[in-house]
Amino acid sequence: MSDDRTANPALTRRGFLGGIARGLLGVGVAGVGVAAAGRVRAKDDLWQIDPFKCIQCGNCRTACVLEDSAVKCVHDFAMCGYCDLCTGFFHPEPNRLETGAENQLCPAGAIIRRFVEEPYFEYHIDELLCTGCGICVKGCTDYGNGSLYLQVRQDRCLNCNQCAIAAQCPSDAFMRVPADRPYVVKHLGRQKEGG
Amino acid sequence: MSSRRRVVLVAMALLAAAVCAADAWAIERFPPPDFYSGHQLPELDQRPLRLPPWMDRVHVAALATGLALSTWFSLRLRSRTAIRWLAVASLVYFGFYLGGCVCPIGSIQNVTLALADADYTLPVSVVFIFALPVVFALLFGRVFCSGVCPLGAIQDLVLIRPLRVPLWLQSVLGLVPFVYLGAAILMAATDSFFIVCRWDPFVGFFRLDGNLPVMILGGVLLIVSTFVGRPYCRFLCPYGALLGLCSRVAWKHVTITPDECVNCRLCEDACPFGAIRPATTEEDA
Ligand code: SF4
Ligand code: SF4
Ligand code: SF4
Ligand code: SF4
Ligand code: SF4
């Protein structure tokens, strides 16, 4: 297209200035590109909760972009004390240690109490019912072993560019984890990466 | 049973005090039992990712292909219909299937944060997602906006009868994206708050799920889109501002074919985005 304009000196000047501007912008963009390339990591990343920082504020239930939050409670059984009075499952002052709704802490009835052997019971989460409210987590963390904790369920999470819960988390518990290690296995200890 | 419970309660009381004092999470208050029935501890239930991790490479490839097609359709074929179908495909893939993220618009903030914060690194895919449309804009103009961006596509699809926005109003509103871009960069650099993502008006529609204020904003913008061409792209989108700068000095452009133009000036009215201005000579400019 430029060849049929070469006769017109004004347009050529314009083309010349355009060339300079293009060059400058190109250099600028290339600069940003190179700088960004220097800050790259090989793996894609995902949002996850650091259970050691989470204070179970309740935002995980409400702040997710999904109506039914992508955050659910998980149970790291290797940490569970199989406590006689499971403070994740029961009200602090239960009438009886039974599965009656009036004894249960979980407002959604999402914790399944399974008999293992006398006197131990095992607590499983029904994810279809769990809302990620963290109430059981608080009970278990404050008075039990802290084996119940909240995690972003990666099969549900849409991996928002900025997690809507992270923006509202009061304890800065949301972090980015590499895609090949998408969960925090709590009994293995504090996860180092993220931030 | 009851004696064990008493022990538990005493331990609870002691430990409740310890919780306030120290990092007690690591403490094993109740040692895991030895099961005489040989019960095995279940594993932590780790569900797989919604999309497999290698999918980010597919997204980048799809973006590059989309940009190449968009360039070809607009500069060579000069076919609006082809662009439109490409936009529909992008809307389905980048919008409804991928659920929006990560997109080039939002990636401005990731790149900013990576440059500003030593602890934050970028996945390779995000660098490509940020840079590819910019490179194409420097070469061929805003081919990303026309045929690949799902946010543009959804507004195009609902456009029924474009009104002409007066030139002065268009110039004033056209400054908003630059302000937004500046704000987004500042916020990402300082606070790691991603305002562009927080207020992405259409991502809620792509996911058919979203929070109310943003859905309302999206709904209003879609209604406005029926009679004003692409309001988000023209008067808000910060990435559009960036691409617009690049496109001004682009190497090749969509042009009015000078040999065939008879200067009827109908196109000035016809362009739904008010992009065609009355011709000026060098002296007026
Ligand atoms: S928002 Fe943060 S502190 Fe609150 S429950 Fe979620 S992770 Fe825990
Ligand atoms: S309180 Fe926690 S550690 Fe104790 S039994 Fe319940 S889940 Fe397990
Ligand atoms: S108490 Fe809340 S977080 Fe715990 S299982 Fe019930 S719904 Fe889920
Ligand atoms: S990244 Fe999005 S979908 Fe995932 S937990 Fe956060 S807000 Fe929910
Ligand atoms: S939230 Fe919207 S603007 Fe942000 S990365 Fe996702 S699609 Fe893009």
Side-chain angles (χ1 to χ4, degrees):
Chain A
M1 61 178 188
S2 58
D3 32 17
D4 47 33
R5 288 180 178 176
T6 37
N8 186 334
L11 283 176
T12 317
R13 183 164 76 237
R14 190 176 168 175
F16 176 70
L17 290 177
I20 291 180
R22 178 159 63 232
L24 285 178
L25 247 176
V27 168
V29 168
V32 171
V34 169
R39 311 270 316 122
V40 147
R41 73 148 141 246
K43 287 276 183 286
D44 213 355
D45 53 13
L46 305 163
W47 289 102
Q48 194 46 276
I49 295 170
D50 182 346
F52 298 98
K53 285 189 180 170
C54 170
I55 56 167
Q56 301 91 39
C57 69
N59 282 350
C60 273
R61 178 174 69 88
T62 50
C64 180
V65 297
L66 294 170
E67 195 55 38
D68 179 12
S69 177
V71 173
K72 303 285 174 201
C73 179
V74 298
H75 199 172
D76 190 356
F77 296 95
M79 277 179 83
C80 180
Y82 291 79
C83 320
D84 190 28
L85 172 63
C86 170
T87 48
F89 185 81
F90 290 112
H91 272 300
E93 302 279 344
N95 295 331
R96 311 173 62 185
L97 293 185
E98 275 182 6
T99 55
E102 73 280 9
N103 299 326
Q104 288 189 32
L105 201 54
C106 174
I111 307 182
I112 305 157
R113 184 179 194 241
R114 241 177 242 162
F115 178 71
V116 179
E117 62 181 44
E118 215 31 76
Y120 302 124
F121 289 84
E122 199 165 72
Y123 299 92
H124 294 261
I125 310 296
D126 181 345
E127 284 209 358
L128 290 177
L129 296 177
C130 175
T131 61
C133 71
I135 291 175
C136 63
V137 177
K138 193 160 202 66
C140 174
T141 308
D142 287 353
Y143 304 113
N145 281 0
S147 59
L148 294 173
Y149 56 101
L150 295 176
Q151 287 283 279
V152 175
R153 295 311 247 160
Q154 307 293 5
D155 56 332
R156 305 175 42 78
C157 177
L158 300 168
N159 203 10
C160 308
N161 193 19
Q162 193 194 35
C163 172
I165 314 174
Q168 291 189 28
C169 175
S171 60
D172 206 13
F174 271 75
M175 55 185 181
R176 295 171 192 265
V177 295
D180 55 355
R181 252 182 306 157
Y183 294 93
V184 177
V185 183
K186 201 177 172 190
H187 77 270
L188 298 181
R190 204 177 273 269
Q191 189 139 354
K192 282 286 174 280
E193 59 276 295
Chain B
M1 198 68 164
S2 68
S3 75
R4 186 184 160 87
R5 191 174 161 198
R6 209 172 311 125
V7 172
V8 168
L9 287 174
V10 171
M12 262 171 55
L14 283 176
L15 283 162
V19 168
C20 318
D23 179 13
W25 287 305
I27 297 175
E28 217 170 55
R29 292 169 186 143
F30 307 101
D34 292 319
F35 296 109
Y36 57 79
S37 64
H39 173 68
Q40 289 292 312
L41 291 180
E43 291 278 323
L44 176 71
D45 177 14
Q46 302 193 31
R47 305 271 169 94
L49 316 192
R50 188 176 73 102
L51 301 175
W54 44 261
M55 272 304 283
D56 58 339
R57 272 164 259 175
V58 178
H59 304 326
V60 171
L63 179 64
T65 314
L67 287 166
L69 284 177
S70 186
T71 306
W72 185 48
F73 291 164
S74 52
L75 298 192
R76 279 254 160 266
L77 292 189
R78 301 177 65 90
S79 161
R80 182 73 197 139
T81 318
I83 294 266
R84 193 164 271 257
W85 282 111
L86 178 63
V88 170
S90 299
L91 179 62
V92 170
Y93 182 81
F94 292 109
F96 291 103
Y97 171 68
L98 183 57
C101 295
V102 181
C103 81
I105 308 169
S107 71
I108 299 172
Q109 304 160 115
N110 303 57
V111 171
T112 307
L113 184 59
L115 298 183
D117 178 352
D119 289 334
Y120 179 73
T121 47
L122 286 172
V124 184
S125 56
V126 174
V127 176
F128 279 106
I129 287 167
F130 172 76
L132 277 176
V134 174
V135 171
F136 269 80
L138 279 173
L139 293 175
F140 308 114
R142 290 168 69 171
V143 288
F144 171 73
C145 300
S146 62
V148 189
C149 180
L151 283 76
I154 196 172
Q155 295 171 86
D156 266 355
L157 285 185
V158 298
L159 179 60
I160 302 167
R161 197 166 195 303
L163 294 182
R164 244 188 125 184
V165 182
L167 256 185
W168 65 268
L169 185 61
Q170 190 169 308
S171 323
V172 173
L173 290 177
L175 295 177
V176 177
F178 291 96
V179 177
Y180 196 21
L181 175 63
I185 289 179
L186 266 181
M187 287 191 186
T190 53
D191 198 14
S192 96
F193 182 67
F194 286 13
I195 187 175
V196 179
C197 292
R198 186 69 184 75
W199 290 100
D200 178 333
F202 302 122
V203 77
F205 292 106
F206 298 155
R207 295 163 174 174
L208 306 172
D209 212 328
N211 75 24
L212 196 60
V214 183
M215 291 294 265
I216 291 174
L217 174 73
V220 169
L221 273 173
L222 276 189
I223 291 168
V224 173
S225 303
T226 56
F227 56 88
V228 175
R230 291 199 183 209
Y232 180 78
C233 302
R234 290 155 75 195
F235 309 129
L236 276 171
C237 181
Y239 198 66
L242 188 66
L243 293 187
L245 284 181
C246 299
S247 141
R248 255 164 218 279
V249 297
W251 174 53
K252 274 193 178 4
H253 245 286
V254 181
T255 52
I256 291 163
T257 41
D259 296 341
E260 288 154 37
C261 175
V262 294
N263 229 337
C264 71
R265 303 186 55 182
L266 285 176
C267 60
E268 289 166 25
D269 271 334
C271 174
F273 312 115
I276 303 175
R277 305 288 166 86
T280 50
T281 60
E282 194 77 6
E283 292 91 74
D284 307 335

